[in-house]
Coordinates of all heavy atoms in Angstrom, one line a residue:
M1 N -149.5 41.4 65.2 CA -150.6 42.0 66.0 C -151.9 41.5 65.5 O -152.3 41.7 64.4 CB -150.5 43.5 65.9 CG -149.5 44.2 66.6 SD -149.7 46.0 66.5 CE -148.1 46.4 66.0
A2 N -152.6 40.8 66.4 CA -154.0 40.4 66.1 C -155.0 41.5 66.4 O -154.9 42.1 67.5 CB -154.3 39.1 66.8
E3 N -155.9 41.7 65.5 CA -157.0 42.7 65.8 C -157.9 42.1 66.9 O -158.3 40.9 66.8 CB -157.7 43.0 64.6 CG -157.1 44.0 63.7 CD -157.9 44.5 62.6 OE1 -158.0 43.7 61.6 OE2 -158.5 45.6 62.7
K4 N -158.3 42.9 67.8 CA -159.3 42.5 68.8 C -160.6 43.2 68.4 O -160.7 44.4 68.4 CB -158.8 43.0 70.2 CG -157.6 42.3 70.6 CD -157.1 42.7 72.0 CE -155.8 42.0 72.4 NZ -155.3 42.5 73.7
L5 N -161.6 42.4 68.1 CA -162.9 42.9 67.8 C -163.8 42.9 68.9 O -163.7 42.0 69.8 CB -163.5 42.1 66.6 CG -162.7 42.0 65.3 CD1 -163.3 41.0 64.3 CD2 -162.5 43.4 64.7
R6 N -164.8 43.8 69.0 CA -165.7 43.9 70.1 C -167.0 44.4 69.5 O -167.0 45.1 68.4 CB -165.3 44.7 71.2 CG -165.1 46.2 70.9 CD -164.5 47.0 72.0 NE -164.5 48.4 71.7 CZ -163.6 49.0 70.9 NH1 -162.8 48.2 70.2 NH2 -163.6 50.3 70.6
I7 N -168.1 44.2 70.1 CA -169.4 44.7 69.7 C -169.9 45.7 70.7 O -169.9 45.5 71.9 CB -170.5 43.6 69.6 CG1 -170.1 42.6 68.5 CG2 -171.9 44.2 69.3 CD1 -171.0 41.4 68.3
N8 N -170.2 47.0 70.3 CA -170.6 48.0 71.2 C -172.1 47.9 71.5 O -172.8 47.0 71.0 CB -170.3 49.4 70.7 CG -171.1 49.9 69.5 OD1 -172.0 49.2 69.0 ND2 -170.8 51.1 69.1
D9 N -172.7 48.8 72.3 CA -174.1 48.7 72.7 C -175.0 48.9 71.5 O -176.2 48.5 71.5 CB -174.4 49.9 73.7 CG -173.7 49.6 75.0 OD1 -173.3 48.5 75.3 OD2 -173.5 50.6 75.8
D10 N -174.6 49.5 70.4 CA -175.4 49.7 69.2 C -175.3 48.5 68.2 O -175.9 48.5 67.1 CB -175.1 51.0 68.5 CG -175.3 52.2 69.3 OD1 -176.4 52.2 70.0 OD2 -174.5 53.1 69.3
G11 N -174.5 47.5 68.6 CA -174.4 46.3 67.7 C -173.3 46.4 66.6 O -173.2 45.6 65.7
L12 N -172.5 47.5 66.7 CA -171.4 47.7 65.7 C -170.2 46.8 66.1 O -169.8 46.8 67.3 CB -171.0 49.1 65.6 CG -172.0 50.1 65.0 CD1 -171.4 51.5 65.1 CD2 -172.2 49.7 63.5
L13 N -169.7 46.1 65.1 CA -168.5 45.3 65.3 C -167.3 46.2 65.1 O -167.1 46.7 64.0 CB -168.4 44.2 64.3 CG -167.3 43.2 64.4 CD1 -167.3 42.5 65.8 CD2 -167.3 42.2 63.3
L14 N -166.5 46.5 66.2 CA -165.5 47.5 66.2 C -164.1 46.9 66.5 O -164.0 45.9 67.2 CB -165.8 48.6 67.2 CG -167.1 49.4 67.1 CD1 -167.3 50.2 68.3 CD2 -167.1 50.2 65.8
S15 N -163.1 47.6 66.0 CA -161.7 47.3 66.4 C -161.0 48.7 66.5 O -161.3 49.7 65.9 CB -161.0 46.5 65.4 OG -160.7 47.2 64.2
D16 N -160.0 48.7 67.4 CA -159.2 49.9 67.6 C -158.1 49.9 66.6 O -157.5 48.9 66.4 CB -158.6 49.9 69.1 CG -159.7 50.1 70.1 OD1 -160.7 50.9 69.9 OD2 -159.6 49.5 71.2
T17 N -157.8 51.1 66.1 CA -156.7 51.3 65.2 C -156.1 52.7 65.5 O -156.8 53.5 66.0 CB -157.0 51.0 63.7 OG1 -155.9 51.0 63.0 CG2 -158.0 52.1 63.2
T18 N -154.9 52.9 65.1 CA -154.3 54.2 65.2 C -153.7 54.7 63.9 O -152.9 54.0 63.3 CB -153.2 54.2 66.3 OG1 -153.8 53.7 67.5 CG2 -152.7 55.6 66.6
M19 N -154.1 55.9 63.5 CA -153.5 56.5 62.3 C -152.2 57.2 62.8 O -152.3 58.0 63.7 CB -154.4 57.5 61.7 CG -153.9 58.1 60.4 SD -155.1 59.1 59.6 CE -154.1 60.1 58.6
V20 N -151.1 56.8 62.2 CA -149.8 57.3 62.7 C -149.0 58.0 61.7 O -149.1 57.8 60.5 CB -149.0 56.1 63.3 CG1 -149.7 55.5 64.4 CG2 -148.6 55.1 62.2
E21 N -148.1 58.9 62.1 CA -147.0 59.4 61.3 C -145.7 59.1 62.1 O -145.6 59.3 63.3 CB -147.2 61.0 61.2 CG -146.1 61.6 60.3 CD -146.3 63.0 60.1 OE1 -147.5 63.5 60.1 OE2 -145.3 63.8 59.9
F22 N -144.8 58.5 61.3 CA -143.6 58.0 62.0 C -142.5 59.1 62.0 O -142.4 59.9 61.1 CB -143.0 56.8 61.2 CG -143.9 55.6 61.3 CD1 -144.4 55.0 60.1 CD2 -144.3 55.0 62.5 CE1 -145.3 53.9 60.2 CE2 -145.1 53.9 62.6 CZ -145.6 53.4 61.4
A23 N -141.7 59.1 63.1 CA -140.7 60.1 63.4 C -139.6 60.1 62.4 O -139.0 61.1 62.1 CB -140.2 60.0 64.8
D24 N -139.3 58.9 61.8 CA -138.1 58.8 61.0 C -138.4 59.1 59.5 O -137.5 58.9 58.7 CB -137.5 57.5 61.2 CG -138.4 56.3 60.7 OD1 -139.5 56.6 60.3 OD2 -138.0 55.1 60.9
G25 N -139.6 59.5 59.2 CA -139.9 59.8 57.8 C -140.1 58.6 56.9 O -140.0 58.7 55.7
C26 N -140.5 57.5 57.5 CA -140.8 56.3 56.7 C -141.8 56.7 55.6 O -142.8 57.5 55.9 CB -141.4 55.2 57.5 SG -141.9 53.8 56.6
T27 N -141.7 56.2 54.4 CA -142.6 56.5 53.3 C -144.0 56.0 53.6 O -145.0 56.3 52.9 CB -142.1 55.9 52.0 OG1 -142.0 54.5 52.1 CG2 -140.8 56.6 51.6
D28 N -144.2 55.2 54.6 CA -145.5 54.7 55.0 C -146.2 55.6 56.0 O -147.1 55.1 56.7 CB -145.4 53.2 55.5 CG -146.7 52.5 55.3 OD1 -147.5 52.8 54.4 OD2 -147.0 51.6 56.2
A29 N -145.8 56.8 56.1 CA -146.4 57.8 57.0 C -147.9 57.9 56.7 O -148.3 57.9 55.5 CB -145.7 59.1 57.0
G30 N -148.7 58.1 57.7 CA -150.1 58.3 57.5 C -150.8 56.9 57.4 O -151.9 56.8 57.0
S31 N -150.1 55.9 57.9 CA -150.7 54.5 57.8 C -151.5 54.2 59.1 O -151.5 55.0 60.0 CB -149.6 53.5 57.6 OG -148.8 53.4 58.7
F32 N -152.2 53.1 59.0 CA -153.0 52.7 60.1 C -152.3 51.5 60.8 O -151.9 50.5 60.1 CB -154.4 52.3 59.7 CG -155.1 53.5 59.1 CD1 -155.1 53.8 57.8 CD2 -155.9 54.3 60.0 CE1 -155.8 54.9 57.3 CE2 -156.6 55.4 59.5 CZ -156.5 55.7 58.2
V33 N -152.2 51.5 62.1 CA -151.6 50.4 62.9 C -152.7 49.9 63.8 O -153.3 50.6 64.5 CB -150.4 50.9 63.7 CG1 -149.8 49.8 64.6 CG2 -149.3 51.6 62.8
P34 N -152.9 48.5 63.8 CA -153.9 47.9 64.7 C -153.6 48.2 66.1 O -152.5 48.3 66.5 CB -153.8 46.4 64.4 CG -153.2 46.3 63.0 CD -152.3 47.5 62.9
G35 N -154.7 48.5 66.9 CA -154.5 48.7 68.3 C -154.5 50.2 68.6 O -154.5 51.1 67.7
T36 N -154.4 50.5 69.9 CA -154.3 51.9 70.4 C -152.9 52.2 70.8 O -152.3 51.5 71.6 CB -155.3 52.2 71.6 OG1 -156.6 51.8 71.2 CG2 -155.3 53.6 72.0
H37 N -152.3 53.3 70.1 CA -150.9 53.6 70.4 C -150.8 55.1 70.7 O -151.6 55.9 70.3 CB -150.1 53.2 69.2 CG -150.1 51.7 68.9 ND1 -149.5 50.8 69.6 CD2 -150.9 51.1 67.9 CE1 -149.8 49.6 69.1 NE2 -150.6 49.7 68.1
E38 N -149.7 55.4 71.3 CA -149.4 56.8 71.6 C -148.1 57.3 71.0 O -147.2 56.5 70.7 CB -149.3 57.0 73.2 CG -150.6 56.6 73.9 CD -150.6 56.8 75.4 OE1 -149.5 57.2 75.9 OE2 -151.6 56.4 76.0
V39 N -147.9 58.6 71.0 CA -146.7 59.2 70.5 C -145.5 58.7 71.3 O -145.6 58.6 72.6 CB -146.8 60.8 70.6 CG1 -145.5 61.4 70.3 CG2 -147.9 61.3 69.6
G40 N -144.4 58.4 70.7 CA -143.2 57.9 71.3 C -143.1 56.4 71.3 O -142.0 55.8 71.5
E41 N -144.2 55.6 71.1 CA -144.1 54.2 71.0 C -143.4 53.8 69.8 O -143.5 54.4 68.7 CB -145.5 53.6 71.1 CG -146.2 53.6 72.4 CD -147.5 52.8 72.3 OE1 -147.5 51.7 71.9 OE2 -148.5 53.4 72.7
V42 N -142.8 52.6 69.8 CA -142.2 52.0 68.6 C -143.0 50.8 68.2 O -143.4 50.0 69.0 CB -140.7 51.5 68.9 CG1 -140.1 50.8 67.7 CG2 -139.8 52.7 69.3
V43 N -143.5 50.8 67.0 CA -144.4 49.8 66.5 C -143.9 49.2 65.2 O -143.2 49.9 64.4 CB -145.8 50.4 66.3 CG1 -146.4 50.8 67.6 CG2 -145.8 51.5 65.3
P44 N -144.3 48.0 64.8 CA -143.9 47.4 63.5 C -144.6 48.2 62.4 O -145.8 48.6 62.5 CB -144.5 46.0 63.6 CG -144.7 45.7 65.0 CD -145.0 47.0 65.7
C45 N -143.9 48.4 61.3 CA -144.4 49.1 60.2 C -145.1 48.1 59.2 O -144.5 47.1 59.0 CB -143.3 49.9 59.4 SG -143.9 50.8 58.0
L46 N -146.3 48.4 58.8 CA -147.0 47.5 57.9 C -146.5 47.6 56.5 O -146.7 46.7 55.6 CB -148.5 47.7 58.0 CG -149.1 47.5 59.3 CD1 -150.6 47.9 59.3 CD2 -148.9 46.1 59.9
G47 N -145.8 48.7 56.2 CA -145.3 49.0 54.8 C -143.9 48.5 54.5 O -143.5 48.5 53.4
C48 N -143.1 48.3 55.6 CA -141.8 47.8 55.4 C -141.4 46.8 56.5 O -142.3 46.5 57.3 CB -140.8 49.0 55.4 SG -140.5 49.8 57.0
D49 N -140.2 46.3 56.5 CA -139.9 45.3 57.5 C -139.4 45.8 58.8 O -139.1 45.1 59.7 CB -138.8 44.4 56.9 CG -139.2 43.5 55.8 OD1 -140.5 43.2 55.7 OD2 -138.4 43.1 54.9
G50 N -139.3 47.2 58.9 CA -138.8 47.8 60.1 C -139.8 48.2 61.2 O -141.0 47.9 61.1
E51 N -139.3 48.7 62.3 CA -140.1 49.3 63.3 C -139.8 50.8 63.4 O -138.7 51.2 63.1 CB -139.8 48.6 64.7 CG -140.2 47.2 64.7 CD -140.0 46.6 66.1 OE1 -139.2 47.2 66.9 OE2 -140.7 45.6 66.4
H52 N -140.8 51.6 63.8 CA -140.7 53.0 63.8 C -141.3 53.6 65.0 O -142.3 53.1 65.6 CB -141.3 53.6 62.5 CG -140.9 53.1 61.3 ND1 -139.6 53.3 60.8 CD2 -141.5 52.3 60.3 CE1 -139.5 52.7 59.6 NE2 -140.6 52.0 59.3
R53 N -140.7 54.8 65.4 CA -141.2 55.5 66.6 C -142.3 56.4 66.0 O -142.2 57.1 65.0 CB -140.1 56.4 67.2 CG -140.6 57.1 68.5 CD -139.5 57.7 69.2 NE -138.4 56.8 69.5 CZ -138.3 55.9 70.5 NH1 -139.4 55.8 71.3 NH2 -137.3 55.1 70.6
I54 N -143.4 56.5 66.8 CA -144.6 57.3 66.4 C -144.4 58.8 66.8 O -144.1 59.1 67.9 CB -145.9 56.8 67.1 CG1 -146.2 55.3 66.6 CG2 -147.1 57.7 66.8 CD1 -147.3 54.7 67.3
A55 N -144.5 59.7 65.8 CA -144.4 61.1 66.0 C -145.7 61.7 66.2 O -145.9 62.7 66.9 CB -143.7 61.7 64.8
A56 N -146.8 61.2 65.6 CA -148.1 61.7 65.7 C -149.1 60.5 65.7 O -148.9 59.6 64.9 CB -148.5 62.7 64.6
A57 N -150.1 60.6 66.5 CA -151.1 59.5 66.6 C -152.5 60.0 66.7 O -152.8 60.9 67.4 CB -150.7 58.6 67.8
L58 N -153.4 59.3 66.0 CA -154.8 59.6 66.1 C -155.6 58.3 66.3 O -155.8 57.5 65.3 CB -155.3 60.3 64.8 CG -156.8 60.6 64.7 CD1 -157.2 61.6 65.9 CD2 -157.2 61.2 63.4
P59 N -156.0 58.0 67.5 CA -156.7 56.7 67.8 C -158.1 56.8 67.1 O -158.8 57.8 67.2 CB -156.9 56.7 69.3 CG -156.0 57.7 69.8 CD -155.8 58.7 68.8
L60 N -158.5 55.7 66.5 CA -159.8 55.6 65.8 C -160.4 54.2 66.1 O -159.8 53.3 66.5 CB -159.6 55.6 64.3 CG -158.9 56.9 63.7 CD1 -158.4 56.6 62.3 CD2 -159.8 58.1 63.8
E61 N -161.7 54.1 65.9 CA -162.5 52.9 65.9 C -162.9 52.6 64.5 O -163.5 53.5 63.9 CB -163.7 52.9 66.9 CG -163.3 53.1 68.3 CD -164.5 53.1 69.2 OE1 -165.5 53.8 68.9 OE2 -164.5 52.5 70.3
V62 N -162.7 51.4 64.1 CA -163.1 51.0 62.7 C -164.3 50.0 62.9 O -164.3 49.1 63.7 CB -162.0 50.2 62.0 CG1 -162.5 49.8 60.6 CG2 -160.8 51.2 61.8
A63 N -165.4 50.4 62.2 CA -166.6 49.5 62.2 C -166.7 48.6 61.0 O -166.4 49.1 59.9 CB -167.9 50.4 62.2
Y64 N -167.0 47.4 61.1 CA -167.0 46.4 60.1 C -168.3 46.0 59.5 O -168.5 45.4 58.5 CB -166.2 45.1 60.5 CG -164.8 45.4 60.8 CD1 -164.3 45.8 62.0 CD2 -163.8 45.3 59.7 CE1 -163.0 46.0 62.3 CE2 -162.5 45.6 60.0 CZ -162.1 45.9 61.2 OH -160.8 46.2 61.5
N65 N -169.4 46.1 60.3 CA -170.7 45.6 59.9 C -171.7 46.7 59.7 O -172.8 46.6 60.1 CB -171.2 44.6 61.0 CG -171.4 45.3 62.4 OD1 -170.8 46.3 62.6 ND2 -172.2 44.7 63.2
I66 N -171.3 47.7 59.0 CA -172.2 48.8 58.6 C -172.8 48.4 57.3 O -172.2 48.0 56.3 CB -171.5 50.2 58.4 CG1 -170.9 50.6 59.8 CG2 -172.4 51.2 57.9 CD1 -170.1 51.9 59.7
E67 N -174.2 48.5 57.2 CA -174.9 48.2 56.0 C -175.8 49.4 55.6 O -176.6 49.9 56.4 CB -175.7 46.9 56.3 CG -176.5 46.4 55.0 CD -177.3 45.2 55.4 OE1 -176.8 44.3 56.1 OE2 -178.4 45.1 54.8
I68 N -175.6 49.8 54.4 CA -176.5 50.9 53.9 C -177.7 50.2 53.3 O -177.6 49.5 52.3 CB -175.7 51.7 52.8 CG1 -174.5 52.4 53.5 CG2 -176.7 52.8 52.2 CD1 -173.6 53.1 52.5
T69 N -178.9 50.6 53.8 CA -180.1 50.0 53.4 C -180.9 50.9 52.5 O -181.8 50.5 51.7 CB -181.0 49.5 54.5 OG1 -181.2 50.7 55.4 CG2 -180.3 48.4 55.3
E70 N -180.7 52.2 52.6 CA -181.4 53.2 51.7 C -180.5 54.4 51.5 O -180.0 54.9 52.5 CB -182.7 53.6 52.4 CG -183.6 54.5 51.6 CD -184.9 54.8 52.4 OE1 -185.4 54.0 53.1 OE2 -185.3 56.0 52.2
A71 N -180.4 54.8 50.3 CA -179.6 56.0 50.0 C -180.5 57.2 49.7 O -181.5 57.0 49.1 CB -178.7 55.7 48.8
E72 N -180.1 58.3 50.2 CA -180.9 59.5 49.9 C -180.5 60.0 48.6 O -179.3 60.0 48.2 CB -180.6 60.6 51.0 CG -181.1 60.2 52.4 CD -180.9 61.3 53.4 OE1 -180.6 62.5 53.0 OE2 -181.0 61.0 54.6
P73 N -181.4 60.6 47.8 CA -181.1 61.1 46.5 C -180.2 62.4 46.6 O -180.4 63.1 47.6 CB -182.4 61.4 45.8 CG -183.4 61.5 47.0 CD -182.9 60.7 48.1
E74 N -179.3 62.5 45.7 CA -178.5 63.7 45.7 C -179.4 65.0 45.3 O -180.2 64.9 44.4 CB -177.4 63.6 44.6 CG -176.3 62.6 45.0 CD -175.2 62.7 44.0 OE1 -174.8 63.7 43.5 OE2 -174.6 61.6 43.8
E75 N -179.1 66.0 46.0 CA -179.8 67.3 45.7 C -179.0 68.1 44.7 O -177.8 68.1 44.7 CB -179.9 68.1 47.0 CG -180.8 67.5 48.0 CD -181.0 68.4 49.2 OE1 -180.8 69.6 49.1 OE2 -181.3 67.9 50.3
A76 N -179.8 68.7 43.7 CA -179.1 69.5 42.7 C -178.5 70.7 43.3 O -179.1 71.3 44.2 CB -180.2 69.9 41.6
E77 N -177.3 71.1 42.8 CA -176.7 72.3 43.3 C -177.4 73.5 42.8 O -177.9 73.5 41.7 CB -175.2 72.3 42.8 CG -174.4 71.3 43.4 CD -172.9 71.4 43.0 OE1 -172.5 72.5 42.6 OE2 -172.2 70.4 43.0
P78 N -177.5 74.6 43.6 CA -178.2 75.8 43.2 C -177.6 76.3 41.9 O -176.4 76.4 41.8 CB -178.0 76.8 44.4 CG -177.7 75.9 45.5 CD -177.0 74.7 45.0
G79 N -178.4 76.7 41.0 CA -177.9 77.3 39.7 C -177.6 76.3 38.6 O -177.2 76.6 37.6
H80 N -177.9 75.0 38.9 CA -177.6 74.0 37.9 C -178.9 73.3 37.5 O -179.8 73.0 38.1 CB -176.7 72.9 38.4 CG -175.3 73.4 38.5 ND1 -174.8 74.1 39.6 CD2 -174.2 73.4 37.6 CE1 -173.5 74.4 39.4 NE2 -173.2 74.0 38.2

């Protein structure tokens, strides 16, 4: 699966990915699969050589070109 990158209106370089939990209890549960997928789909597992049915899915966008130019100082916790 090749990742498809796009630039949004704010100039962020994004790709779609899906955080999945597999129905068969693969030890790679909670992994990320490139692309947008839904519950019930069978997708290749990145952690093993098999394919697995998705039991739970959370579609996400991953940004690649975020740059931190200034960090805010940490505030001291009250009482310390």
Side-chain angles (χ1 to χ4, degrees):
M1 283 185 230
E3 277 187 284
K4 295 179 182 177
L5 300 176
R6 66 184 184 289
I7 297 177
N8 73 356
D9 293 340
D10 296 320
L12 290 175
L13 182 62
L14 302 171
S15 72
D16 292 322
T17 191
T18 305
M19 185 173 156
V20 299
E21 183 173 327
F22 295 120
D24 62 3
C26 176
T27 58
D28 203 30
S31 65
F32 295 90
V33 178
T36 302
H37 301 282
E38 296 180 5
V39 171
E41 285 186 53
V42 175
V43 296
C45 180
L46 300 177
C48 71
D49 292 333
E51 292 186 339
H52 304 291
R53 184 170 310 281
I54 297 173
L58 178 62
L60 304 166
E61 292 180 320
V62 177
Y64 294 92
N65 60 339
I66 295 176
E67 184 178 320
I68 299 173
T69 57
E70 183 177 327
E72 294 183 16
E74 289 187 32
E75 292 184 25
E77 291 183 26
H80 287 88

